């Protein structure tokens, strides 16, 4: 059984989507999955699901939703105790917890790619209670940071060819993010589009001045200067270095597996 929160709330059994009820009932399930294996007091559950619009007899309504979830998901254990509920499951069966666990590992392209592929859309898009809104904002911020980390790895390895279009769309959505702007400027320059790179730098410089009354930070200014003077590391040399590192990592992993077999 797999639980999805990074998009519409859904449950899959053997790859098949299971009907877990209407929107409010799915909200109850989402709260219990976010806090999987931890007690959620009834008052906290009510606050998170209804926010400021708590209905009459909300505690009874919550109990009814939990009862129906038990019927819809007979393989899932939802226990009532100490004035609250606990949903017991493997946290790695919940995409949200798997996403966080992957980002806690040493970041590399494969790990970040796996984490980002867990996202199916905007989490809790139909829910606007303060708790869900704050959680959604925090999750999207962490996803954005993971995308930027992945971009840095791709650029460091000279794999810039496919990046400009994606980075341009992101930069249009987040025009004041200097790290993203630097990635776009560098990718454009590495693709032989120096004029476009300098134009993008000027756009973010003007926007920062107009909206924040600030100049670009030192890293972005240095990148701009190095483009003007053609003082950037050739991507081929960077890619060669990373290829050597990747080969060494694979050799070490292979050696570790062999030693484990010999000593096991």
């Amino acid at each position: 059984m797999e639980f999805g929160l990074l998009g519409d709330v859904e449950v899959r059994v053997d790859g098949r989507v299971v009907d877990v009820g209407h929107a409010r009932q799915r909200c109850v399930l989402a709260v219990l999955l976010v806090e999987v294996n931890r007690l959620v007091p009834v008052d906290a559950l009510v606050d998170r699901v209804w926010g400021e619009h708590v209905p009459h007899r909300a505690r009874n309504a919550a109990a009814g939703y939990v009862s129906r979830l038990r019927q819809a998901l007979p393989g899932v254990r939802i226990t009532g105790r100490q004035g609250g509920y606990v949903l017991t499951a493997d946290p790695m069966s919940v995409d949200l917890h798997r996403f966080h666990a992957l980002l806690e590992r040493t970041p590399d392209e494969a790990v970040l790619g796996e984490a980002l592929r867990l996202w199916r859309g905007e989490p809790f898009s139909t829910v606007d209670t303060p708790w869900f809104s704050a959680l959604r904002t925090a999750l999207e911020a962490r996803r954005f940071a993971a995308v930027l980390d992945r971009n840095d790895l791709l650029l460091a390895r000279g794999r810039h060819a496919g990046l400009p279009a994606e980075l341009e769309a992101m930069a249009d959505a987040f025009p004041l993010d200097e790290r993203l702007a630097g990635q776009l400027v560098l990718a454009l320059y590495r693709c032989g589009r120096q004029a476009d790179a300098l134009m993008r730098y000027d756009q973010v410089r003007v926007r920062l001045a107009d909206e924040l009354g600030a100049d670009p930070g030192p890293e972005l200014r240095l990148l701009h200067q190095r483009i003007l003077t053609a003082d950037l590391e050739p991507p081929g040399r960077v890619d060669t270095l990373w290829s050597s590192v990747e080969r060494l990592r694979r050799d070490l992993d292979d050696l570790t597996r062999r030693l484990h077999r010999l000593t096991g």
Side-chain angles (χ1 to χ4, degrees), residues 1-3 11-13 16 18 20 29 33 36-37 66-79 86-90 93:
M1 187 173 293
E2 296 182 335
F3 304 95
V11 179
R12 289 181 176 269
V13 177
R16 180 179 59 85
V18 177
V20 290
L29 177 61
L33 288 171
V36 66
N37 300 327
V66 169
S67 178
R68 285 193 284 275
L69 285 171
R70 288 175 177 142
Q71 295 172 15
L73 303 170
V76 177
R77 182 183 173 193
I78 305 176
T79 308
V86 178
L87 189 153
T88 303
D90 178 3
S93 66

Side-chain angles (χ1 to χ4, degrees), residues 128-141:
D128 62 358
T129 64
W131 185 82
F132 275 109
S133 296
L135 178 59
R136 178 167 52 243
T137 298
L139 284 170
E140 289 177 338

Side-chain angles (χ1 to χ4, degrees), residues 5 24 76 89 144 160 165 177 191 212 215 233 238 245:
L5 298 178
R24 194 73 67 182
V76 177
F144 183 71
H160 47 266
D177 190 286
C191 289
L212 302 180
D215 293 324
E233 185 75 18
V238 176
V245 172

